[in-house]
Amino acid sequence: MYETSNLKEKWSRMLKIIFPILVTQVALYLITFFDILMSSRYGSEDLAGVAVGSSLWIPVYTGLAGILLAITPIVAQLVGAKKKEEVRLVVQQGLFLSLGLSVLTLIVLFFVLEPILQSMTLENRVEEVASSFIKAISIGIIPLFAYNVLRSYMDALGKTRVSMIITLLSAPINVFFNYLLIFGNFGFPELGGAGAGYASAITYWLIFLIAVGVVHKQKPFQQYELFRNWQRVQYSKWRDISKIGVPIGLSIFAETSIFSAVTLMMSTYSTAVISAHQIALNFTSLMYMVPLSISIGTTVLVGYEVGAKRFKDAKIYSWLSVSTAVMFSFLSACILFFFKEQIAELYTTDETVIQLTIQFFIFAALFQLSDAIQAPVQGALRGYKDVNVTFIMAIISYWIIGLPVGYLLSKFTELGPFGYWIGLIVGLSAGAITLSLRLIRIQRKKDVASL
């Protein structure tokens, strides 16, 4: 990481940070993407089962893993303030915390998974696939959470290209094991949708082991000697990480779970509707990797500048990232609108599902701008370590405004399942507006304090 002096240098530095993060995010998401895509080729019931399973798994994973994202702004500010000696302790305690969160998640899943699935009006085969998928993928939760700590550490040092290369390996590994375990090729058991869960778990273990080797042996990570002089669990450090991480995790959970909640509430519709909704959500989530990557990069850049007391540079990076994401949103909206039929046909040959997916894509195109604004704004706020109010705003926008609007439109108008997507548009738009106003306020306070 280094200081930049003009807008051109900042733009160049931002792109160098963001591009590897984008590739990393896309590679990580491709695990879920290919789980859905390859399950859809196996059968519509397996697709629906994996869709329901993913809808339960993703908000749990992203919300709890979001707590560990606190490592990025904490380490970035320590590096910016040249407090090198504190970095190792923070990362080690982050790994301990990741293990604790993993064990807690497994215990909760053991007790609540079956009751939740049984409370839904799912077809028997769909419920069976969803249960098997979640149980299988949970085998990889310990390495997945630990990898998030190591990746946040690498990103905080500005070495996003390294985590990109590691994560790039995940997609072909996942596709390979999906091919073996979903379809039963080369003598492996034919597990259908459940095979996608096992393939993902194997992939998580492999990329974690690779990351351990990299941070232990490669520069500049080895200078911090993460795996030497292990300290005992320090709950004070857990508290420091959680103080920043819990609001981040809850904010992410509030956003991701709203999509999952919609999927679960749509379980009363036909298997074709659930499948079409999941296909549309799966592809739009892939498009969301761009603003999400910009958000993560913005946290690193803003955190570094704030740690160095360069508040003007932090402000420039904040809005430079928003403008970049907004420009991409117009491209993504055009892709969703003009190529909706071709994209739908990539997933399935079922004509009913294709036509429903096309309609969902039209609504998805409409919330691209809101997503492009709220994601980098949240990233900037995390760089300032302003997370508590952000969480409250996310809850209000998505759950108090967005979901009720979607429910009312779906139940009391002729929009049916599409009403939920209009609710998503309303919620994301509310989030984009309120979070932007919060960022402006924080930056004004920093400007006054620096005078």
Side-chain angles (χ1 to χ4, degrees):
M1 297 287 285
Y2 54 83
E3 183 179 0
T4 52
S5 58
N6 56 58
L7 191 61
K8 182 179 179 180
E9 288 184 3
K10 285 180 172 58
W11 181 274
S12 176
R13 182 58 183 162
M14 186 182 74
L15 292 180
K16 286 179 181 178
I17 291 286
I18 289 172
F19 180 73
I21 293 176
L22 171 61
V23 176
T24 300
Q25 288 298 129
V26 170
L28 273 176
Y29 185 74
L30 283 177
I31 294 177
T32 302
F33 178 83
F34 283 117
D35 284 349
I36 297 292
L37 178 63
M38 298 178 79
S39 295
S40 71
R41 292 296 179 180
Y42 188 83
S44 60
E45 290 179 330
D46 285 78
L47 168 61
V50 173
V52 172
S54 296
S55 296
L56 292 171
W57 169 258
I58 290 175
V60 171
Y61 153 60
T62 55
L64 291 175
I67 296 173
L68 304 172
L69 288 177
I71 299 296
T72 301
I74 291 173
V75 172
Q77 290 199 13
L78 289 173
V79 173
K82 304 190 184 302
K83 296 180 179 179
K84 176 181 174 181
E85 67 283 353
E86 296 183 30
V87 171
R88 178 174 58 196
L89 179 61
V90 169
V91 177
Q92 287 181 350
Q93 295 302 312
L95 289 170
F96 284 137
L97 179 58
S98 75
L99 178 60
L101 290 173
S102 301
V103 172
L104 177 63
T105 304
L106 290 172
I107 292 173
V108 172
L109 281 176
F110 178 80
F111 287 105
V112 306
L113 176 59
E114 296 304 330
I116 289 175
L117 291 175
Q118 290 170 7
S119 68
M120 301 167 64
T121 56
L122 298 172
E123 297 174 9
N124 291 335
R125 173 60 182 165
V126 174
E127 181 181 329
E128 178 187 339
V129 172
S131 176
S132 300
F133 173 82
I134 294 175
K135 290 175 181 176
I137 201 171
S138 65
I139 295 171
I141 194 171
I142 291 176
L144 179 59
F145 281 13
Y147 174 69
N148 272 274
V149 173
L150 296 180
R151 180 191 157 201
S152 295
Y153 160 68
M154 290 186 279
D155 289 349
L157 296 184
K159 301 300 179 181
T160 54
R161 185 171 176 270
V162 177
S163 58
M164 173 194 78
I165 294 172
I166 295 172
T167 314
L168 265 178
L169 298 173
S170 64
I173 292 171
N174 182 246
V175 169
F176 174 70
F177 284 105
N178 271 344
Y179 181 71
L180 297 181
L181 298 173
I182 293 177
F183 303 101
N185 290 304
F186 299 112
F188 282 81
E190 184 178 341
L191 301 176
Y198 286 109
S200 296
I202 294 170
T203 304
Y204 296 148
W205 275 103
L206 290 175
I207 62 171
F208 167 65
L209 293 174
I210 294 169
V212 168
V214 169
V215 299
H216 181 58
K217 295 288 187 181
Q218 300 297 317
K219 295 180 179 179
F221 313 113
Q222 64 178 187
Q223 65 178 302
Y224 295 97
E225 299 180 314
L226 292 186
F227 304 119
R228 293 185 62 186
N229 300 321
W230 283 86
Q231 303 291 316
R232 296 168 60 182
V233 170
Q234 297 184 17
Y235 293 110
S236 61
K237 290 297 180 183
W238 285 30
R239 185 171 59 251
D240 292 341
I241 295 171
S242 299
K243 186 177 180 180
I244 298 172
V246 169
I248 292 176
L250 290 174
S251 296
I252 294 173
F253 178 80
E255 182 178 354
T256 56
S257 62
I258 194 73
F259 290 94
S260 296
V262 168
T263 299
L264 298 177
M265 292 172 76
M266 288 174 63
S267 63
T268 56
Y269 293 97
S270 67
T271 298
V273 171
I274 297 173
S275 298
H277 161 77
Q278 186 60 35
I279 289 171
L281 187 58
N282 183 249
F283 189 81
T284 53
S285 296
L286 180 63
M287 304 292 285
Y288 177 64
M289 292 303 104
V290 174
L292 178 61
S293 301
I294 293 173
S295 173
I296 296 171
T298 304
T299 299
V300 175
L301 293 165
V302 172
Y304 180 76
E305 298 298 343
V306 170
K309 307 297 182 183
R310 293 190 291 267
F311 299 118
K312 181 180 179 181
D313 288 338
K315 183 176 182 179
I316 293 173
Y317 275 125
S318 300
W319 297 109
L320 192 60
S321 67
V322 173
S323 61
T324 303
V326 167
M327 285 189 289
F328 174 78
S329 72
F330 292 109
L331 173 62
S332 61
C334 289
I335 291 173
L336 287 167
F337 187 79
F338 292 109
F339 298 98
K340 52 187 179 294
E341 184 172 353
Q342 292 87 339
I343 297 169
E345 290 173 348
L346 290 174
Y347 286 84
T348 182
T349 56
D350 188 316
E351 189 60 32
T352 301
V353 176
I354 289 174
Q355 292 305 314
L356 287 167
T357 303
I358 289 172
Q359 296 178 69
F360 280 122
F361 274 146
I362 295 173
F363 292 101
L366 297 176
F367 66 64
Q368 295 304 299
L369 178 61
S370 300
D371 251 355
I373 295 173
Q374 63 88 21
V377 168
Q378 283 199 57
L381 287 168
R382 289 167 193 157
Y384 285 104
K385 289 186 178 179
D386 183 74
V387 290
N388 293 313
V389 176
T390 301
F391 159 62
I392 295 171
M393 288 179 170
I395 289 292
I396 294 173
S397 300
Y398 307 139
W399 286 91
I400 297 179
I401 298 176
L403 188 60
V405 168
Y407 176 81
L408 292 173
L409 290 174
S410 69
K411 297 299 181 182
F412 300 105
T413 72
E414 296 181 355
L415 289 168
F418 305 109
Y420 284 112
W421 281 65
I422 295 177
L424 292 174
I425 295 170
V426 173
L428 290 168
S429 299
I433 294 169
T434 55
L435 290 168
S436 296
L437 293 174
R438 177 65 180 176
L439 179 59
I440 292 170
R441 183 178 180 183
I442 291 296
Q443 290 175 339
R444 284 177 178 172
K445 285 185 176 180
K446 294 295 183 183
D447 289 341
V448 172
S450 62
L451 293 177

